[in-house]
Amino acid sequence: MSYDDVEIEDMEWNEELQAYTYPCPCGDLFQITKEDLKLGEEIARCPSCSLYITVIYNMEDFLGDSDQNHRNKGLQPSKQQTVTIA
C-alpha cells in the first residue's frame, strides 16, 4: 500500500537527480523521472527504504511537450548543404 498520494505540483524538480522529488519520512527523497511519468508510471520510490508514494498527475502534461517537439521538427524545412565533388 502506498505511503501517501501526492500531487505532482507538491513535488520539487531536482536538477541534479533529473527527477521530481518529495521528502520521505526516513530523511531521503521519493523520486520519479519525467521519462517514468511519460510512460504512465505513477509510483515514486525512496532509494533508502521500502516506502513509495502514488503521484497524481495529468499524463497529457508530459506527453504534450514530447509530441509538440516531434511535430515541430517535422514542420521545419530541412537545411541544405552544398557538397563539393572533386
Side-chain angles (χ1 to χ4, degrees):
M1 181 174 192
S2 178
Y3 171 73
D4 200 1
D5 293 346
V6 178
E7 294 195 26
I8 193 78
E9 293 84 9
D10 295 330
M11 300 180 79
E12 289 188 26
W13 175 251
N14 184 309
E15 194 67 37
E16 183 179 328
L17 297 173
Q18 289 293 299
Y20 286 95
T21 62
Y22 190 78
C24 180
C26 79
D28 206 343
L29 297 169
F30 294 106
Q31 304 173 21
I32 191 165
T33 66
K34 286 183 181 179
E35 289 74 26
D36 290 337
L37 295 168
K38 287 178 185 178
L39 293 173
E41 180 64 57
E42 58 184 25
I43 300 298
R45 301 183 186 283
C46 176
S48 297
C49 71
S50 62
L51 293 178
Y52 62 91
I53 58 173
T54 301
V55 180
I56 300 168
Y57 71 104
N58 184 350
M59 190 173 179
E60 293 173 1
D61 292 344
F62 293 90
L63 293 178
D65 292 340
S66 171
D67 291 346
Q68 188 65 33
N69 287 342
H70 290 325
R71 273 188 242 128
N72 287 344
K73 286 180 184 174
L75 296 176
Q76 294 176 356
S78 62
K79 295 180 182 176
Q80 295 181 352
Q81 295 181 348
T82 304
V83 177
T84 304
I85 300 174

